[in-house]
Amino acid sequence: MQNCWSRKDYIMPCGDNKLEKESDIFLFLSMIHANLLLILALFFAMALLYLLSQRWKISYPIFLVIGGLGISFIPGIPAISIDPDIVFLIFLPPLLFEAAWYTSWNEFWKWKRSILLLGFGLVLITSMAIAYFSVSIIPGFTLALGFLLGGIISPPDAVAATSVLKGVNMPKRGLTMLEGESLVNDAASLTVFRFALASILTGQFVFQKAATDFVVLAVMGVFVGLVIAHILYLVLRYWAKSSSITTPITLIAPYLMYIVAEEFHWSGVLAVVSGGLFLSFRSNDFLNYHTRIQTKEVWATVGFLLNGFVFILIGLELPVIVAALDGYSIKEAVHYGLIISGIVIVARIILVYVVTFLPRLLSPKIRASEKSPGLKLPFIIGWAGMRGVVSLASALAIPLTLDNGEAFPHRNLILFITFIVILVTLVFQGLTLPIFLRLLKVEETDDHVPFDLQKEAIRLQLAKESVTFLNNKYHQEMKEYETIARIKEQLERSINATEQTLTEQRQQVASVRKLYGKIMLDLITMRRTELNKLRATKQYDDEVIRDLESSLDLEEARLYKQ
């Protein structure tokens, strides 16, 4: 399927009439049907690689890319090529929506200056650095091609960073900045890519028009996302009362926001991000306990499948990229790729320090309101700049020919350099990031109460409010019925235990809570075993057994989330 680059979107196939577009759709469906066994085999391989990554304690995006590389060298494996239209349309919207959904709006707004400087400023400056360096080291490379390459490899991949950082001690400010940066840097990088590609194809570039178009597509993208989010919010709050409706609507939402924004040539990325943030912020208005549990589990499954499939495809793409590398030897291409990878890594670290400390030097207000992050945290944020799926999809989206029919200059080299940058940053930085965190011993500099202490304080407050509520509303009932009085007794015992726990040291709080969780999980295991014995006796209805089993499942899930 040929990409139509006369438009400013990424998802519309070429074709001047409805018949041709319908034939493209049928061609896509027939392609899926013909490769269904291969797709299922890749999903199974992805599951096995994920299990191995958990056993060997390696971040799964790194392991999936390496696994994909290994699979690609197996004899008989067909060459697999990723269609950028599929990545931008099918994979990108839900992944962005999921990231926005689980982003704390309060934390995002608290560190909005740093996030926006990282998400927009860092991408633009990195693109410029890559553009001028690539022109100086690659013969025949123009500045427009340099900016094209910069737009492709400038945005870090948030999924890889958060996956690597999972389970390690990372200050809250650093995690918030990395997650927030990922919500906006794709829009900035795709904009650089779009304008650089347009200047190469048309031979014209007007800075004023480019700047105006960037503001318009960004603002209108956010506007479209918020409008659609408000409409869906009204539907979910007042009409959709069932999880069987709520969950599918949340799955449809990112595609609706993305496609509508891109249809008007605005930023689909910012539409999904802004709409996802709004719906997440107002989710308590339309989610009850059942819809919340189901929606969370469905999105966890969808997010894992999409992320994992794309990362394994990155590894599988190598033979296709190498086979298309005409005009350059492998040694030359690897040389260029490694140099540019070094530039990307060093430039990000330097720029993160500039973005962190320059505003503090210029503004006394910032110095007074924000504590200094120190020198260690900016280095970790800079080192966490791993590249991933958006970079590869953008590189693959470069058309084969120019408007005059000539071959697109240096296309295959750009593809290969992009792959090298992804491989170096994802594998090398991803494997060493936890090591740097342990060696540097980055500590929390802000007044942030540890999560375990926050949980205990909230439990204490809720328990006290519950006792007050019982005294006010069910005072007489507690006098008449011993069973009702026990509710208050249990709450009071919980209050006493929690107050005693909060007076202990932080390490003891965690250890006591861990011991409590272990005992409760052992009890649940025992009750589940007894429940299975009762099922075998056939004295009770299966429906009753399943209902009690579901209660144990919910209790176990709650304990694992503590």
Short mmCIF file of all heavy atoms in Angstrom, two decimals, residues 163 293 384:
data_model
loop_
_atom_site.label_atom_id
_atom_site.label_comp_id
_atom_site.label_asym_id
_atom_site.label_seq_id
_atom_site.Cartn_x
_atom_site.Cartn_y
_atom_site.Cartn_z
N SER A 163 9.06 0.54 32.00
CA SER A 163 9.25 -0.90 32.22
C SER A 163 10.58 -1.17 32.88
O SER A 163 10.67 -2.00 33.80
CB SER A 163 9.15 -1.65 30.89
OG SER A 163 9.45 -3.02 31.05
N ILE A 293 -12.83 -2.35 37.77
CA ILE A 293 -12.01 -3.56 37.76
C ILE A 293 -11.90 -4.12 36.35
O ILE A 293 -10.81 -4.45 35.86
CB ILE A 293 -12.61 -4.62 38.71
CG1 ILE A 293 -12.45 -4.17 40.16
CG2 ILE A 293 -11.91 -5.97 38.51
CD1 ILE A 293 -13.15 -5.07 41.17
N ALA A 384 17.61 7.76 30.63
CA ALA A 384 16.39 6.98 30.37
C ALA A 384 15.79 7.29 29.00
O ALA A 384 14.64 6.91 28.74
CB ALA A 384 15.36 7.25 31.46
#
